[in-house]
């Protein structure tokens, strides 16, 4: 081979080596793809999905992390899906990398050791940025297993349009809604006000108030009066419980409180109630137009207020809202998931997320920024909500329910039995009223109140028995 031939071969070898090395250098590391189950919005219209897309296109693209949303549902459905996966039920999907959960779901899992303790990935300084009471709720058996990304609390929502009509006729005052006793008394007045409009049709008034979670009302009210709601793994049913129960039961028996199934948003959207207490995140489902049962619609103004309190009781607000759990896999995948969670809980990003969903931010800095951010919101309904949230944060203590193995069963038992027992008491009330007691005179109302009081006492006895039987 001549000199030219050797040079040609050598050139080809060098070119091949260069191409090989270039290809190796161009071959990027495969990105880490993480699966997610969450509850924020719908599959096609979710504020969190939009933020996940933003993360994937920015920080995720830079660091080789892709989040893939596999399920957008509600907390009850995800609760069932998580337990099915954790129990390896036939046909169940495997646990995703990240999923939204309440502590009660983690407590119901057969083995919470499959979840990451976030203290392995967050420094003490990073964790100190969060509201302590929000972190406390996610501590299970000494491990931080549920990380808050957005929190809700209970808010009083009011159809101001309907209330103003009622107030114009009766002089009803918004200040009365600052206490539970005042709210329930107003509920009775509202029912009678509407009932009196059609004297030829008896008992056709409508409810004033609906509560999404009767269990929360009873728990928070009892605790606010300085008495334990729980005794061990059961309910205490003490004197404060009785005090909290009576005005609520009397108003329900006399027709002022909604006892139907479904969410508190439903009767407000049809004008069948004027006020509700529900999760702050329910703001997503309150419409600016009410469609009445006769299909007549009208625009309404929905405003928000901090939760009523028991007279003389402490200002307590229950903290609600699930957090993210992280399934153990390997350090690389776990660190990638934590990268996203740190990005999502950064104050400015967190505020963008929560103010589009009706939730509260989770860090002290984000809360300090919230009043200014709230003023920039286009929706008056959302501005009103965040004013109520700021009042709640400023004046109330957040209450964290205890982690009891029986908590979920007690909650379900009270919700189911309280409604059913009070519905039965309402039927007894209507059947027991004499013709003389059905009017709107002072004597008739006194008789109605006395009958409702008696039936409320009987209903409480029935509730105690029902809950105790369920706990055996």
């Amino acid at each position: 081979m001549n000199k030219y031939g050797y040079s040609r071969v050598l050139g080809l070898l060098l070119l091949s080596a260069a191409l090989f090395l270039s290809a190796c250098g161009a071959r990027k590391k495969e990105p880490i793809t993480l699966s997610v189950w969450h509850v924020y919005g719908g599959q096609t219209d979710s504020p969190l999905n939009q933020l996940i897309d933003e993360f994937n296109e920015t920080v995720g693209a830079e660091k080789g992390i892709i989040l893939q949303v596999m399920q957008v549902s509600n907390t009850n459905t995800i609760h069932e899906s998580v337990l099915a996966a954790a129990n390896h039920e036939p046909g169940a999907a495997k646990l995703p990398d990240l999923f939204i959960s309440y502590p009660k779901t983690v407590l119901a899992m057969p083995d919470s050791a499959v979840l990451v303790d976030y203290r392995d990935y967050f420094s003490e300084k990073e964790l100190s940025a969060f509201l302590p009471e929000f972190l406390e709720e996610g501590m299970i058996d000494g491990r931080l297993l549920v990380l808050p990304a957005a929190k809700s609390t209970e808010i009083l929502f009011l159809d101001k349009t309907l209330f103003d009509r009622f107030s114009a006729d009766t002089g009803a005052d918004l200040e009365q809604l600052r206490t539970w006793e005042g709210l329930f008394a107003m509920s009775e007045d509202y029912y009678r006000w509407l009932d009196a409009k059609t004297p030829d049709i008896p008992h056709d008034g409508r409810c004033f108030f609906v509560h999404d979670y009767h269990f929360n009302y009873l728990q928070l009210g009892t605790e606010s009066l300085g008495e334990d709601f729980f005794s061990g793994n059961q309910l205490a049913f003490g004197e404060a419980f009785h005090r909290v129960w009576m005005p609520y039961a009397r108003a329900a028996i006399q027709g002022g409180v909604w006892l139907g199934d479904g969410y508190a948003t439903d009767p407000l959207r049809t004008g069948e109630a004027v006020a509700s207490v529900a999760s702050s995140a329910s703001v997503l489902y309150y419409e600016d137009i009410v469609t009445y049962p006769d299909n007549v619609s009208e625009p309404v103004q929905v405003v928000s207020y901090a939760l009523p309190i028991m007279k003389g009781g402490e200002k307590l607000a229950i903290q609600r809202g699930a957090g993210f759990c992280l399934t153990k896999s390997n350090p690389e995948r776990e660190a990638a998931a934590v990268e996203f969670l740190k990005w999502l809980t950064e104050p400015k990003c967190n505020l963008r997320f929560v103010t589009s969903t009706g939730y509260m931010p989770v860090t002290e800095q984000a809360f300090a920024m919230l009043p200014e951010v709230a003023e920039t919101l286009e929706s008056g309904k959302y501005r009103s909500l965040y004013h109520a949230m700021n009042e709640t944060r400023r004046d109330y203590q957040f209450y964290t329910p205890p982690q009891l193995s029986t908590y979920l069963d007690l909650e379900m038992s009270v919700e189911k039995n309280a409604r059913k027992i009070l519905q039965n008491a309402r039927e007894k009330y209507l059947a027991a009223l004499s013709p003389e007691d059905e009017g709107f005179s002072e004597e008739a109302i006194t008789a109605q109140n006395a009958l409702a009081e008696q039936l409320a006492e009987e209903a409480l006895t029935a509730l105690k028995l029902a809950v105790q039987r369920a706990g055996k």
Side-chain angles (χ1 to χ4, degrees):
M1 183 178 296
N2 60 28
K3 184 178 179 181
Y4 173 77
Y6 279 117
S7 297
R8 185 179 181 190
V9 171
L10 181 60
L12 288 171
L13 288 172
L14 290 172
L15 178 60
S16 298
L19 289 172
F20 176 76
L21 291 171
S22 175
C24 288
R27 189 181 300 129
K28 292 183 178 179
K29 186 179 179 181
E30 284 295 316
I32 297 171
T33 301
L34 303 170
S35 52
V36 182
W37 293 354
H38 74 80
V39 298
Y40 304 107
Q43 189 75 43
T44 58
D45 184 23
S46 162
L48 183 57
N49 284 5
Q50 295 169 15
L51 283 170
I52 286 174
D53 288 342
E54 180 182 331
F55 175 84
N56 287 341
E57 293 166 5
T58 55
V59 176
E62 178 186 338
K63 299 192 174 183
I65 305 168
I66 298 174
L67 270 74
Q68 188 172 9
V69 177
M70 307 301 293
Q71 182 182 150
V72 181
S73 185
N74 57 57
T75 51
N76 290 336
T77 299
I78 284 187
H79 171 85
E80 294 167 0
S81 298
V82 167
L83 294 186
N87 287 300
H88 306 290
E89 293 180 7
K94 63 177 290 189
L95 280 174
D97 295 286
L98 286 166
F99 62 90
I100 286 294
S101 172
Y102 283 103
K104 63 187 178 185
T105 301
V106 176
L107 289 167
M109 292 174 67
D111 183 11
S112 64
V114 301
L115 302 178
V116 166
D117 183 348
Y118 284 110
R119 294 179 304 174
D120 294 336
Y121 288 95
F122 283 79
S123 68
E124 286 299 320
K125 182 178 179 181
E126 288 172 325
L127 290 176
S128 68
F130 289 82
L131 269 70
E133 50 267 60
F134 290 175
L135 286 182
E136 178 188 346
E137 189 182 24
M139 292 292 295
I140 298 172
D141 297 329
R143 302 167 65 227
L144 181 56
L145 302 183
V146 185
L147 187 79
K151 281 288 186 178
S152 64
T153 189
E154 289 180 335
I155 291 290
L156 175 65
F157 294 96
L158 183 73
D159 180 335
K160 190 71 164 42
T161 305
L162 283 183
F163 179 85
D164 286 347
R165 288 178 192 155
F166 170 53
S167 178
D169 265 13
T170 65
D173 190 343
L174 282 172
E175 285 297 307
Q176 199 173 337
L177 300 179
R178 290 190 175 275
T179 67
W180 284 113
E181 292 91 341
L183 184 148
F184 288 126
M186 186 178 288
S187 298
E188 296 172 16
D189 293 342
Y190 180 79
Y191 180 89
R192 291 191 180 102
W193 173 68
L194 284 179
D195 193 20
K197 287 181 174 292
T198 53
D200 55 325
I201 307 175
H203 315 308
D204 69 334
R206 288 197 297 271
C207 301
F208 178 82
F209 177 68
V210 52
H211 202 305
D212 233 352
Y213 288 97
H214 299 238
F215 187 74
N216 285 357
Y217 161 71
L218 295 167
Q219 180 178 185
L220 210 60
T222 301
E223 293 282 346
S224 77
L225 294 173
E227 181 178 287
D228 290 336
F229 183 67
F230 298 95
S231 176
N233 284 326
Q234 297 301 321
L235 300 188
F237 289 115
E239 291 183 9
F241 186 103
H242 178 270
R243 179 181 158 187
V244 173
W245 168 267
M246 291 303 291
Y248 148 74
R250 284 195 304 264
I253 290 167
Q254 296 189 79
V257 175
W258 175 271
L259 296 171
D261 296 326
Y263 292 103
T265 51
D266 297 338
L268 255 72
R269 289 190 293 186
T270 56
E272 294 174 279
V274 180
S276 74
V277 164
S279 164
S280 56
S282 299
V283 72
L284 289 166
Y285 307 103
Y286 286 104
E287 303 288 347
D288 295 323
I289 294 178
V290 161
T291 302
Y292 297 98
D294 59 3
N295 285 326
V296 173
S297 298
E298 70 167 335
V300 296
Q301 180 189 15
V302 176
V303 295
S304 302
Y305 298 96
L307 202 63
I309 62 169
M310 297 298 296
K311 286 182 180 177
E314 186 181 357
K315 287 186 174 182
L316 294 182
I318 201 162
Q319 58 161 306
R320 298 177 50 161
F324 273 105
C325 290
L326 174 56
T327 306
K328 285 182 179 177
S329 52
N330 60 57
E332 192 176 26
R333 294 183 65 83
E334 293 167 12
V338 169
E339 188 73 39
F340 166 70
L341 294 175
K342 289 183 178 182
W343 178 83
L344 183 64
T345 54
E346 181 276 327
K348 288 184 179 179
C349 182
N350 199 228
L351 281 168
R352 282 198 294 140
F353 172 40
V354 299
T355 54
S356 64
T357 53
Y359 285 86
M360 297 184 291
V362 294
T363 65
E364 298 280 7
Q365 184 180 351
F367 248 113
M369 298 162 61
L370 183 58
E372 183 178 347
V373 171
E375 291 302 322
T376 68
L377 299 176
E378 292 183 8
S379 167
K381 182 171 62 178
Y382 275 77
R383 287 196 302 273
S384 174
L385 171 67
Y386 282 100
H387 288 155
M389 276 192 189
N390 282 323
E391 180 183 345
T392 300
R393 172 64 180 138
R394 184 186 68 238
D395 298 339
Y396 288 62
Q397 291 292 320
F398 285 118
Y399 169 80
T400 303
Q403 294 176 1
L404 303 177
S405 59
T406 56
Y407 188 94
L408 186 57
D409 290 337
L410 288 171
E411 181 183 44
M412 293 175 66
S413 178
V414 169
E415 287 293 334
K416 172 186 173 183
N417 287 298
R419 293 171 193 261
K420 182 179 178 181
I421 288 168
L422 288 173
Q423 285 170 348
N424 291 338
R426 168 74 177 158
E427 292 173 5
K428 290 179 183 178
Y429 170 83
L430 294 175
L433 283 175
S434 66
E436 295 79 17
D437 296 337
E438 290 191 352
F440 305 100
S441 67
E442 186 176 337
E443 293 79 7
I445 292 174
T446 298
Q448 292 163 17
N449 288 339
L451 178 58
E453 181 89 7
Q454 174 192 334
L455 292 171
E457 293 280 9
E458 293 175 6
L460 178 54
T461 300
L463 178 66
K464 290 178 182 178
L465 290 173
V467 172
Q468 288 165 359
R469 285 196 201 103
K472 290 181 179 178

